Amino acid sequence: MSPLGITVRDGAVIVGPDHQVSEVGPDGLVGQLTPDGLPADPVPPVTLVVSGGLLAWPWDVGPDGLDPDATLTRPPVVVLEDVASAQEWLWALYGRDAALAAADAAAPPHTAAPTNAAVAPVVDCAPGLEWLPAAAARFAFGTWLSAWWPASTTDGIPALDPAVLRAELDPLGARLDLLFDGAGPPLPAVVTLWRPASDRYALAAGPAGDGPAAAVGVSVSTGVCGTWWSDLPPGWVDASDRAVSWRLLQDLDHWWLQVRAAAGPVVVATEARLVADTPGRRVELGPDSDAFGRCWLGEATGTEPGPAPGRVRLYLPGFAPENRAVRSAEHWHESVRALARTRLAAASTPSDPTADTRLSGPGPAVTDPWQAERTAATDDDY
Amino acid sequence: MIDSAWRRLGPGLEPLSAPDGGPLSRTVKLVLLPLVLRPSLHRELAAAVLEETGVTVVEQLMAAHRHQLRATAAWFALLVRHLATHPAKDQISRDSCYPKAFELAVRHGDLAALAAGDPHPAADATATAALDEIAETRGEWTAAALRNALADPHLRSRLSHRLTAGWDESPAVDPAPEELFEDACRSFLDSFGFPGETEDVDQARPRAEPAWTTIVDAGVGSRTGRALRADRWPTVLPEPARARQLGLTELARPARPALDGPAPARCPWDRSIAARVLGLLQHSSDRTVLPDLVDLLTEEVDRACQPWEVLTETSRALLVVGTLLVTGLPDPDHHTRAHRIVAGMCRRESWLAWAQRQPTSPPGPARDDGPIAPYLRRLWVRLHGAETRGTLPRGTEEIQSLLLGVFRSVLLDGRSRVRTALTRLHGEPDAGVVSGGPANPSQGARR
């Protein structure tokens, strides 16, 4: 099968497809972070935490955008901090040669001459359990979808039901026991989903609400923007890049900033608070609903005049750092949306029986539609 | 290796196997390694990667235990079935059923031999008795035994006296050649890394052992420990390294622990002698390696009186080096290789949080104590346990991997803490809402 490279970086042993291992940064990150802690390569890779380390499948981009088949059928890059624990499964996922090479990289026999880490040894990938790589990739892909699925009423992308997804992930996770050292697979939480009770649809980017200020102030400026997805837990805010709207009002002495964000599919506790930041101004938002549907609403007022916000940054304090630069995310968000639309289209048609990425025995292939996607694709509410 | 030998044993092992037929990782960890293969008795098996002779030994040992393992599987299934309805089911972990099933298999042999027919009262009674035994050796029994022991006025007064005398006789802090300490500690922290990683690492690695010897022989640990006790700032540690800042006590100045007391304390040096012993008993899976209760209490009193409240100079040296490791993190200009490795773990952790769309810290007010207090608390507890069981790290590789392993587990704790905090913010089902099932706060709580 494909050749694997092995190298060591700041306390970690890294194994994976040769060309990807040579791209791993000096601190063992698969894909680099910029100085403010944001990823330089914005589409988050598919990842899986396993005993002793972390598996990562960096995205392969084909002519049609993100390519799950190419991405998930190649061996993952593994970053090992505890090679001894990982010996329990390295042989099964990558083969005996890779397991031996990883052990050597962590502690070469004392008789051997020091290896030069710049030249990664290359071994063949020959999984000891043939079904394991595909099962691990499918499980990791399921958890990736639960984190990054761009559910949005504005964009017409229906939510995946976490309970349906979990029902499919649970038995798959149980099969992967070997990778998790009996600690249980890292399953996504099942959270409550809100469903429209009638035919009244939520409009995402309605105008910011008619607070008391609306009566007295003069509207100075308004705007619409999206969120940086990693600032918020999945499903809290509509994933559209037009989900957030704001309005700045001003009279002689005061300003009022009103911010509204369309709610995502997840039901949150009433005490949950988001923060909308813009230079010199900060607005706290709570879950609410208005004439346009479920939303997050908040308003702040002050006397110091300031510039009109060009964009606001919406985040959950504690979930994301307070002072992160606001960046445009439209490009990579759009590529994830395109993937979601392709998958929904595929999920509404019967699966292709000739797919060549079968797991051993009966069962879905690595990138086959999930039941949650089929349910979402046929949901009449959208 | 173990996997293929397991599969060759044939049917009858299903309760201990994964759906694909290989052994559950719990089976490997709790039965095969400690009870069947026993690498401490078979030197060929001690290495992480087996040589040819080791492979043969695994095959032979597994085949020789074929009948016992089948019996273990049957007993395990029976134990787990009874566990569901056992009155003490909350105190008995499923994990403790693995070695117990093996014990029953050794003692009673095959379940079928004992129990012709299912259900069989004799087998059921044995399983229930075995679960009672597990429950007794944990939890309540331990606490009660400890209370009984301390109710003896003679023992109580002897321990009390020993504690007062021992605590008061701590010698004054010696003046010490600080440069020597600093150089040795830095050399040791700079010797971390994989062999062959870079030329610098290869040159630094041989310096680890002499540096460690210097730290231990010069009593750096004892001296700093005494300074902490006197609430002085041991200059080998960066300011402000006082016991309270290090998270080992919540008091302004370390105080003599009580013999026993009602309130469980967050910091190890604030715990009573009885609480420390109870901690040992409850976290010990194999109580046969622990000395008896009175010896444990006496040893614990002696330990509490010593610098850093540990018995050995090795533990004290580890606490000093561990303190330098975590307190030095904020200043990248003075980073050793050990600091860079730990900083790398932190960067990978925040990278992972981003990739999995997980929070980097719990929602709510920011915590400002950083990793220092959790790290030193955990390191102290590990060393405490290792001293009692005689499993202190030997050799620089083991010492280095303990220092890094504690940091890793602090990071993993952080992971589960933030996930639990986030779960609380997810709303309850109400009118107009379709339930997605129960939220699961335990997810992410690994290790």
Side-chain angles (χ1 to χ4, degrees):
Chain A
M1 260 178 89
S2 45
L4 293 173
I6 292 168
T7 189
V8 285
R9 294 272 192 280
D10 267 1
V13 173
I14 295 153
V15 183
D18 200 24
H19 69 283
Q20 286 176 337
V21 165
S22 57
E23 283 167 13
V24 170
D27 40 14
L29 300 181
V30 184
Q32 289 295 288
L33 293 189
T34 58
D36 60 350
L38 291 175
D41 170 24
V43 185
V46 177
T47 54
L48 185 60
V49 175
V50 292
S51 81
L54 161 73
L55 307 178
W57 290 259
W59 279 101
D60 218 273
V61 182
D64 301 326
L66 300 178
D67 184 345
D69 281 310
T71 302
L72 294 164
T73 50
R74 86 158 58 98
V77 179
V78 58
V79 180
L80 300 169
E81 286 183 348
D82 180 353
V83 178
S85 307
Q87 286 299 348
E88 286 178 24
W89 51 264
L90 273 170
W91 64 274
L93 197 62
Y94 295 94
R96 189 178 136 79
D97 289 351
L100 290 171
D104 276 354
H110 293 294
T111 49
T115 51
N116 181 353
V119 184
V122 173
V123 298
D124 277 339
C125 184
L129 296 178
E130 279 177 23
W131 57 268
L132 185 66
R138 181 159 177 85
F139 182 82
F141 188 41
T143 59
W144 186 91
L145 288 172
S146 82
W148 299 106
W149 184 261
S152 166
T153 45
T154 313
D155 296 337
I157 298 176
L160 300 186
D161 188 328
V164 177
L165 195 56
R166 261 294 284 277
E168 212 166 343
L169 281 170
D170 275 332
L172 195 51
R175 285 187 78 196
L176 300 174
D177 166 75
L178 178 69
L179 295 176
F180 309 119
D181 187 27
L187 290 160
V190 173
V191 294
T192 311
L193 272 199
W194 182 87
R195 290 277 176 74
S198 67
D199 57 358
R200 197 186 64 165
Y201 289 165
L203 296 181
D210 294 324
V216 290
V218 175
S219 180
V220 174
S221 55
T222 61
V224 171
C225 64
T227 58
W228 178 269
W229 289 345
S230 23
D231 281 343
L232 297 155
W236 278 38
V237 172
D238 188 289
S240 169
D241 284 328
R242 292 177 293 133
V244 183
S245 60
W246 49 265
R247 176 156 68 161
L248 182 69
L249 301 153
Q250 214 149 358
D251 68 8
L252 288 177
D253 310 315
H254 295 84
W255 56 262
W256 294 266
L257 180 61
Q258 302 169 331
V259 181
R260 177 192 192 276
V266 167
V267 175
V268 296
T270 48
E271 66 267 26
R273 290 293 176 271
L274 301 180
V275 165
D277 250 348
T278 179
R281 301 184 174 106
R282 180 188 160 97
V283 181
E284 217 174 65
L285 287 83
D288 209 334
S289 64
D290 62 15
F292 301 93
R294 288 170 67 248
C295 63
W296 295 83
L297 281 181
E299 181 177 289
T301 182
T303 52
E304 289 291 314
R311 184 189 167 101
V312 298
R313 174 187 174 229
L314 191 63
Y315 68 98
L316 172 63
F319 187 88
E322 300 244 333
N323 40 12
R324 176 186 279 178
V326 176
R327 287 221 247 151
S328 161
E330 277 83 0
H331 182 71
W332 79 267
H333 285 180
E334 201 45 53
S335 61
V336 175
R337 270 181 216 116
L339 173 71
R341 292 201 176 98
T342 310
R343 293 193 58 81
L344 285 171
S348 57
T349 57
S351 63
D352 174 11
T354 61
D356 58 357
T357 48
R358 294 267 137 198
L359 303 174
S360 79
V366 179
T367 58
D368 271 0
W370 295 78
Q371 188 51 46
E373 290 174 318
R374 292 186 201 282
T375 312
T378 53
D379 193 336
D380 287 339
D381 284 340
Y382 282 86
Chain B
M1 215 9 266
I2 295 177
D3 185 276
S4 55
W6 179 265
R7 284 161 202 269
R8 273 198 288 281
L9 295 181
L13 298 168
E14 291 76 12
L16 297 172
S17 300
D20 73 299
L24 286 168
S25 51
R26 277 299 189 248
T27 306
V28 176
K29 183 164 263 188
L30 299 172
V31 178
L32 296 179
L33 284 175
L35 301 170
V36 174
L37 301 175
R38 298 204 278 181
S40 55
L41 298 184
H42 304 275
R43 290 197 56 79
E44 312 87 306
L45 306 183
V49 177
L50 296 183
E51 304 293 329
E52 286 301 318
T53 50
V55 173
T56 321
V57 173
V58 169
E59 292 279 351
Q60 285 167 348
L61 284 171
M62 298 272 284
H65 287 81
R66 188 170 54 236
H67 297 300
Q68 256 169 23
L69 287 170
R70 268 196 215 120
T72 305
W75 280 110
F76 180 75
L78 191 67
L79 283 177
V80 169
R81 207 163 69 218
H82 282 278
L83 179 59
T85 53
H86 194 276
K89 66 170 184 262
D90 296 335
Q91 284 168 45
I92 304 173
S93 69
R94 202 180 151 95
D95 282 1
S96 54
C97 294
Y98 288 84
K100 186 55 92 179
F102 187 81
E103 185 190 317
L104 292 175
V106 172
R107 211 189 310 160
H108 302 289
D110 197 355
L111 183 58
L114 184 73
D118 180 44
H120 191 282
D124 289 337
T126 312
T128 310
L131 291 173
D132 291 344
E133 217 174 291
I134 298 175
E136 271 174 20
T137 52
R138 321 213 131 237
E140 271 315 292
W141 180 85
T142 314
L146 204 53
R147 267 198 306 276
N148 285 342
L150 283 171
D152 171 6
H154 295 294
L155 178 67
R156 226 186 144 78
S157 103
R158 188 166 67 75
L159 290 176
S160 236
H161 183 256
R162 197 179 175 102
L163 183 59
T164 319
W167 184 267
D168 290 341
E169 80 180 12
S170 319
V173 183
D174 317 332
E178 299 284 351
E179 308 76 37
L180 174 72
F181 296 173
E182 279 186 51
D183 285 353
C185 292
R186 276 196 79 81
S187 293
F188 184 73
L189 287 171
D190 246 336
S191 66
F192 281 53
F194 293 126
E197 187 170 343
T198 63
E199 270 182 33
D200 290 352
V201 174
D202 283 333
Q203 280 169 13
R205 281 172 54 84
R207 281 186 233 126
E209 206 164 321
W212 186 255
T213 310
T214 307
I215 298 168
V216 173
D217 289 353
V220 181
S222 295
R223 290 165 201 258
T224 52
R226 285 188 199 114
L228 287 174
R229 170 83 49 93
D231 195 33
R232 292 235 300 264
W233 167 46
T235 51
V236 67
L237 303 179
E239 200 164 16
R242 295 240 160 91
R244 191 179 179 183
Q245 276 82 11
L246 299 182
L248 294 166
T249 174
E250 279 179 315
L251 306 172
R253 177 185 172 149
R256 186 179 68 217
L259 210 49
D260 50 7
R266 203 160 73 100
C267 299
W269 291 359
D270 300 341
R271 288 174 200 149
S272 68
I273 300 294
R276 296 181 197 193
V277 171
L278 190 62
L280 282 176
L281 295 173
Q282 284 174 337
H283 290 109
S284 177
S285 52
D286 180 7
R287 307 223 348 266
T288 55
V289 298
L290 291 177
D292 83 22
L293 218 45
V294 173
D295 289 350
L296 270 178
L297 283 163
T298 312
E299 189 186 286
E300 204 55 54
V301 163
D302 292 346
R303 178 177 288 113
C305 295
Q306 293 294 314
W308 288 99
E309 311 202 8
V310 286
L311 272 181
T312 63
E313 196 58 36
T314 301
S315 298
R316 286 171 215 148
L318 268 153
L319 283 158
V320 170
V321 175
T323 305
L324 287 171
L325 182 60
V326 277
T327 53
L329 281 175
D331 181 9
D333 290 342
H334 288 87
H335 274 186
T336 61
R337 277 206 48 85
H339 288 108
R340 283 200 292 278
I341 289 174
V342 167
M345 286 184 195
C346 295
R347 271 196 308 275
R348 285 193 286 270
E349 193 64 19
S350 55
W351 179 88
L352 178 67
W354 159 74
Q356 300 202 330
R357 203 168 176 180
Q358 293 284 351
T360 46
S361 57
R367 295 163 55 92
D368 55 1
D369 56 353
I372 296 175
Y375 180 84
L376 287 168
R377 267 181 224 142
R378 172 151 305 194
L379 181 59
W380 188 91
V381 169
R382 286 265 178 100
L383 293 169
H384 179 217
E387 281 190 344
T388 327
R389 282 176 214 111
T391 54
L392 280 176
R394 279 168 300 182
T396 49
E397 304 245 335
E398 280 185 33
I399 288 166
Q400 293 176 340
S401 84
L402 174 66
L403 288 168
L404 295 178
V406 169
F407 198 87
R408 192 174 298 117
S409 63
V410 168
L411 283 180
L412 293 175
D413 275 0
R415 250 186 230 175
S416 51
R417 205 178 55 238
V418 295
R419 282 167 207 188
T420 309
L422 182 61
T423 308
R424 278 199 296 274
L425 282 178
H426 282 126
E428 295 298 319
D430 55 31
V433 157
V434 176
S435 168
N440 190 345
S442 72
Q443 285 313 319
R446 312 177 61 232
R447 273 163 242 210

